Amino acid sequence: MPTPMPGTEGQNSGKVTRAHMQTDDDRLDGAWAPGEMAARVASFDWASTPLGPLDSWTPAMRTVVRALLASRFPMFLWAGPELLHIYNDAYAEVIGAKHPGAVGRPAAAVWAEIWDDVGPLAGQVMDRGETTWAEDLRLVMQRGGFAEETYFTFSYSPFHEDDGTVNGVFCAVTETTHRVVGERRLLAVEELAAALGEPTSVVEVARASVSALRRSGADLPVAALYLPADGQATLGASTDRSAFRPRLDPARLGPAGPPPGARRSWRPTTPTEILEYEDRPLACAELADPATQETLGWLVVGLNQQRPFDVGYRSFVDAVAARIADALITATAIETERRRFEALAELDRAKTAFFNNVSHEFRTPLTLLLGPLADALADVDHPLPDEQRERVEVAHRNGRRMVRLVDMLLDSARIDAGHLRPALEPTALGRLTADLASVFRSAFERSGVVLETQIEDAEVDVDAAMWETIVLNLLSNALKFTVAGSVTVRTERAGDTFRLIVRDTGVGIDPEEVDHVLDRFHRAVRRQGRSAEGSGIGLAVVKSLVELHDGTIAITSEVDEGTEVTVTLPGVRRNAAAAPPPRLALSTASSALLDEAASWVDLPPEGATGDGEHWPDRVLVVDDNADMRRYLVTLLGSQWEVRSARGGDEALTAVESWDPLVVVSDVMMPGLDGLELSRRLRSRPEHRRPLTLLVSARAGPGSTEDGMAAGADAYLGKPFTAVALRRRVEILVGRARDQRRAATAADWQALRAALGEAETLDEVVRVVHEHLVEVQRAAHTGLWLLDAGRRRMALVSAGGALPETTATFDDIPVDTPIPAGAATAGETVVVADLIACRRDFPSMVPALAAHGCQATGAAPVVRSDGVVIGALGVSWPAPLQDEQVTAAALESAAALVAGSVERVRSRDAERTVAEGLQDRLLRVDLRDCRAAVAVRYQPANRDLYVGGDWYDAFALDQGRVGLAVGDVVGHGVRAAATMAELRSAMAGVAMVDGRPESMLGILDRVARRRRDAAGTTVFYGVLEVEDRALSYVTAGHPPAVVAAPDGSVELLDDGRSWPLATRESDRPPWVGRTLLAGGRVLVLFTDGLVERRHESLDAGLDRLRLVLGDRAHLPTALLADEVVEALTGDGHDDDVALLALRLPGAGDRWFTDVVTSELESIPASRHRLAEWLRTLPLDDRARADVVLAIGEATTNAIEHGGGSLDRRLPVSIEACVDGPDLVATVQDRGGWQRLPESPHDEHRGRGLALMRAMVDDVALRAGRNGSCVVLRRRMTP
Amino acid sequence: MTAAPLTVELVAGRSGAARVEGEVDASNVARLATLTEGLAQDGRVTLVLDGLRYLDSAGFAFLIELAGRVDLRLVAGPGAVVRRAMDILALGELIPVFDQLDDAG
């Protein structure tokens, strides 16, 4: 005998055994097992069932029944062909309220609600004796008084009688509802948590959580998150936006305040308070921040009616609410932080802009201050007395210092604004540093401080000018704060990095100050130094410059021991041999710094070694006396490049071609004398104006005044000493440089500003051309851009009239040396004299010479990411004198152009997007609208951006048409997007409740949810086509107008309300009404049509009345054209949208018909037309002609513009008497680019030929909303 | 919405000849095709168009197509409404057009 199995089965079998022992197996009227079901089965009146009384049951049946009754596992037997229900106690619990009624009843009756699911399974068992298996089968059963969602895992197996026949279904079943539903909910919470992983904003949390909950429809059929706004609960996101009310009183969603420490509290609610429609159980929770008790939002979820809202359900919803609340807390914190950061960034930008402006403002007066001071100091003829000189020197020195500080501020601001980028070049940085240090050597020697250098060279990618500033500032600081001892400059290479260490034995910095000395405007309270001067900006600039090189700067200091500054730069090149020797060309700022440093050690300033500018030191000597000329040339020739001229006229020519900095001229000369020469030169542009020094025997105060009055810059009386003359010229050369620098800077500033406003590539080129003409006397300017394959360049725009042969330059291969060479090589190329170089450029010279060009050049146009995208080419009418100057200027211009090209292109890209958007949006859907409609949209001339104007027309139910025109504030993609939202909201609302009075309130609510929508103006009307009645409302929009064929015009100015989202108003809007009978045309438009600057809206409306009155009889398409043309032909500031509509009918001078686009509708329409034509002064033949022409146009419109078979679009036929002419239009509403003329289509060709022959003029037009044929025929009575 | 009125009536005593009356446009050109089908005798069809009040390019297209299949002759007198359009399209170059039925042979 086998060992009994442990566990429930063994116990059960024990019980069965016990039952067996307690009851007589063969007796059929006793209890078979303990328990309720055993008793019920035993006492059931089986005799009244097909199974018959218990005692008639077969032994097999009895055995099975006994076994199942004894089992604690839910089991049942559906006995006999009728499948009568016999089950045990465990199963009775599963079936709830069905017990005990199910006993002995047919399964199909007991399980009527799930019989579709399980009946076939049972059939499978009964018919074929197969065993079935179902796992987690979803069954919606009625066991608790409601349709309940349940899950079961079970197996149906055949119950075999002793003879092997199948006489029932045996089933062991497990209810898995709790597990299935529990897992589902767990998954939902996990998915939600994942979706809310990184909340970025409250709105995003709302969107993401609802979007995640959308997948939990089984547990949460609907879900919405309301967010607090202005004391209201505003719908943030929902699974069904149309169901939830957009704004609610928070009291409906939760208690006045959450209980302390609680994040949420569930509140039963009446669905109708929250849902616009539907009636389903909801649960609401207020989500609060437990720390602050602040309400973050409200979660509203729909409940699954097939599951009881029990503890499990409740805790699931709690978990969902908790996740969302957590995410909201995080998002709120992030948003707060972001706002704070944005505010700080804005503050910083403002500060930078302020410094920038201030610095510019300071520079001019300083320059004006320093000039006279320098003159006074340099004046040999009127030398300053010693006491005065000392004072003026102090003033001058400090003035220069101030210039330097201002420049630094400017640099600092530019660095902050990101405008300063290092021009990295491989540089022998050790050697450059040594050279820079040597500049300071004399100052150190005079001071008694030893300057030591320990140089290790390395080739590093740096911006040499920036490095100069870095080194000189550090050295100047070291000298400033070192009274005795030494300053050591060391450079070394450490792997990939380069280090500069400047160490001094100076006064040191207090420990608490060390960390701040690099901060801008922080000036350490330092001990005794050579100078108390210090702006606190030098080191900050150094730090910024180092950081621009991705380097670091570190400072260590000991009080009274000294300071060590270490600058570390990356970018050391491996092989240092190739680096060119550094060129030392100190910038003016650096010279000033040197001067300043020299002043600390009582050293007279040395002349700057060169100022790095491009203007050659040219002096033109003008004298009619040959001896004098020779003398002057000799005298000045040792120091400057000198040429001479024999008189004023010759001097002017020389100035034009040679461009000297200074002209030294005699006053008395035959012909053009010195005074007149000065006057003429004075009128030259600042950046090309030489300064004049007049030399005359007529000494004395009076003659000086004459000379100055004539515009001379300096005056020297004869006799003069050589030294005095040289001094004067020296001063003037310096001043001329300053002046040119300032003028050039101003020019660049102007160019930059003008380019900043350019909105098209044409404008960019025009602006830069004007600049180059002005500054460089250029003849032509062109911008070429590389094609995608970088094989050819296309001329995008040209400035300066190139003659007819421009085609030569339109599209050029990249191997053309100029301008393409500039783009391929990435270098600026200038050919100063084309004729001289004609052999080098055989192909190019003749073409350019043909346009009167004698010099040409091009500079690469380089995008900010370093990619060359094209070239800026320029040509000049005369050979160039100063290639270097020209090349530099051209390069700078190209750089500015590059920025503008990028900007314009990105703008173009945005515009394309916006236009595409608008194009799609402005297609009017009038499938079912039986009216003639024409729409026009015209963006503002001035602004290329697409605007927020829109029009719309949509068919509503029951022969009604919704019509709208609106204007969103602003332009561009955002406005277009806002417009799209309002427009779709409008169409959506119209479908549900198209009444005008409802529309505004709903639109207003929509607008309040979208920030940019506030202030939108709208005109909305509903037209009852049959009754011809229009009811309308206006939200801040100009009134629409209705014009009758007789010329009378009505303004639709009833029904006015405020622009959207601008006022709170509970009052329903007034609704205006009018009739569109008798050929009256309705014209909707946006304010761009009538509004002009400096003019009232009424004046514009009066103009519209006049224009419309004259044209009210015209077909809508022509009317729309002419009205827009007449009112905006002279330019308009704003976008214009217009919609004109006329209902079918016929009258004195007008005819309108709309045919649904079936061919069968053609004859009736033709007959209507013919009938109307009979009222006109036309003979039979002319009438037949017109009928045929319009018939052809109609057929064509139906066949080709009438949409597809399943989407027929109407065609409108309009005609009118226009003066002596009959004018007709046939308009379809198909897509555009479908002109009804195709050489491949003989049939259509014949139609067109007939049309052309039958009337005097046929015009075909394709537009966004379909094509239009315009026919015109003179009527001869 | 109905197709244009159209009748095709055989001419008594003239095999393959019929009078077309009413209007022909895109809405009923298929009907014209049906009504004239099987009209041909010895491959010849003669259509008298004097009674047509309207004939547009859809109708012409049919006539030209028909002329490709049968020996088609058209009769339209100088006063016929459709004559003008036929002249404009130089239909006579594709299909023989006669002023009277007797001329059509």
Side-chain angles (χ1 to χ4, degrees), chain A residues 1160 1166-1167 1181 1185 1192, chain B residues 2 23 25 27 56-57 84:
Chain A
E1160 287 70 26
R1166 187 165 66 235
H1167 298 158
R1181 195 180 115 167
D1185 285 356
E1192 288 293 344
Chain B
T2 50
E23 302 172 6
D25 63 15
S27 73
D56 72 1
S57 59
R84 187 165 135 75

Side-chain angles (χ1 to χ4, degrees), chain A residues 882-1180:
Chain A
D882 307 304
E883 299 168 40
Q884 294 300 320
V885 181
T886 308
L890 187 55
E891 212 163 285
S892 310
L896 288 180
V897 165
S900 300
V901 169
E902 266 191 276
R903 186 173 47 75
V904 168
R905 279 186 162 182
S906 71
R907 215 180 226 218
D908 279 349
E910 191 194 343
R911 201 178 78 226
T912 308
V913 171
E915 274 174 356
L917 199 58
Q918 191 141 25
D919 183 49
R920 278 201 305 284
L921 291 174
L922 292 183
R923 285 165 196 265
V924 171
D925 179 7
L926 286 168
R927 256 170 289 189
D928 311 314
C929 174
R930 287 185 48 81
V933 179
V935 288
R936 295 291 178 269
Y937 179 79
Q938 196 159 319
N941 298 341
R942 173 179 51 80
D943 199 329
L944 291 160
Y945 271 46
V946 175
D949 286 16
W950 87 92
Y951 46 72
D952 206 352
F954 34 84
L956 303 174
D957 54 338
Q958 302 148 3
R960 296 186 308 155
V961 178
L963 299 166
V965 59
D967 187 353
V968 173
V969 178
H971 299 271
V973 173
R974 282 178 73 87
T978 304
M979 160 184 114
E981 181 165 322
L982 287 174
R983 206 166 167 260
S984 63
M986 194 171 224
V989 169
M991 292 304 156
V992 181
D993 176 1
R995 292 174 307 148
E997 51 270 43
S998 318
M999 179 61 79
L1000 278 196
I1002 294 170
L1003 270 190
D1004 200 68
R1005 273 186 277 161
V1006 172
R1008 275 174 206 283
R1009 283 209 300 272
R1010 192 169 171 122
R1011 191 160 28 111
D1012 333 30
T1016 298
T1017 66
V1018 176
F1019 175 96
Y1020 173 72
V1022 172
L1023 178 61
E1024 313 266 351
V1025 175
E1026 206 59 39
D1027 301 342
R1028 312 193 160 228
L1030 176 78
S1031 49
Y1032 62 91
V1033 287
T1034 313
H1037 205 79
V1041 292
V1042 169
D1046 65 7
S1048 60
V1049 177
E1050 177 197 356
L1051 283 187
L1052 302 188
D1053 51 5
D1054 289 339
R1056 306 191 58 99
S1057 180
W1058 303 106
L1060 297 185
T1062 52
R1063 303 241 175 159
E1064 293 288 353
S1065 169
D1066 296 332
R1067 172 178 69 74
W1070 289 322
V1071 178
R1073 291 177 208 284
T1074 192
L1075 280 179
L1076 289 187
R1080 279 155 54 99
V1081 64
L1082 170 68
V1083 180
L1084 310 185
F1085 56 92
T1086 54
D1087 55 7
L1089 184 70
V1090 291
E1091 241 173 28
R1092 294 292 168 270
R1093 266 179 232 175
H1094 319 300
E1095 202 188 79
S1096 73
L1097 178 63
D1098 284 342
L1101 288 174
D1102 285 345
R1103 208 169 33 235
L1104 175 64
R1105 271 171 185 273
L1106 278 177
V1107 167
L1108 202 53
D1110 288 344
R1111 294 167 177 80
H1113 58 290
L1114 290 175
T1116 51
L1118 300 181
L1119 179 135
D1121 283 347
E1122 293 201 11
V1123 166
V1124 170
E1125 169 61 27
L1127 291 175
T1128 66
D1130 53 346
H1132 51 114
D1133 304 328
D1134 203 353
D1135 310 327
V1136 174
L1138 178 143
L1139 182 151
L1141 176 145
R1142 188 187 281 115
L1143 290 172
D1148 188 13
R1149 296 210 295 164
W1150 65 280
F1151 172 85
T1152 297
D1153 198 14
V1154 178
V1155 297
T1156 55
S1157 59
E1158 278 107 13
L1159 293 172
E1160 287 70 26
S1161 62
I1162 294 176
S1165 171
R1166 187 165 66 235
H1167 298 158
R1168 284 193 289 272
L1169 175 71
E1171 198 170 317
W1172 176 70
L1173 287 173
R1174 254 184 266 283
T1175 66
L1176 304 185
L1178 289 168
D1179 59 23
D1180 286 353

Side-chain angles (χ1 to χ4, degrees), chain A residues 81 83 119-130 158 160 166-169:
Chain A
L83 302 179
L121 298 177
Q124 204 176 323
V125 175
M126 292 298 286
D127 299 344
R128 280 176 267 159
E130 288 170 9
H160 292 283
V166 177
N167 191 30
V169 175

Side-chain angles (χ1 to χ4, degrees), chain A residues 216-361:
Chain A
S216 305
D219 287 306
L220 305 173
V222 293
L225 192 64
Y226 282 83
L227 298 170
D230 310 329
Q232 292 259 303
T234 305
L235 186 58
S238 66
T239 53
D240 183 358
R241 194 164 265 280
S242 62
F244 286 92
R245 298 192 182 277
R247 281 166 88 84
L248 288 173
D249 180 354
R252 293 180 182 180
L253 292 167
R263 269 185 192 161
R264 55 208 172 267
S265 57
W266 291 104
R267 178 182 185 274
T269 186
T270 318
T272 50
E273 287 182 344
I274 292 166
L275 295 178
E276 298 268 0
Y277 57 89
E278 293 191 273
D279 184 13
R280 61 171 92 210
L282 293 177
C284 303
E286 175 170 313
L287 310 177
D289 185 340
T292 62
Q293 300 294 306
E294 189 193 349
T295 301
L296 302 165
W298 297 266
L299 176 67
V300 181
V301 291
L303 298 176
N304 179 354
Q305 299 178 66
Q306 296 181 335
R307 292 298 313 155
F309 194 49
D310 54 12
V311 175
Y313 205 160
R314 192 177 290 262
S315 64
F316 161 65
V317 181
D318 274 346
V320 166
R323 289 288 169 281
I324 296 175
D326 286 341
L328 283 176
I329 291 166
T330 312
T332 309
I334 287 172
E335 276 184 357
T336 310
E337 184 61 22
R338 188 188 301 138
R339 273 196 294 276
R340 206 173 61 82
F341 178 78
E342 276 168 3
L344 282 178
E346 183 45 45
L347 197 64
D348 203 47
R349 269 195 296 280
K351 204 170 65 186
T352 301
F354 173 71
F355 286 140
N356 217 343
N357 292 340
V358 163
S359 308
H360 273 296
E361 293 293 330

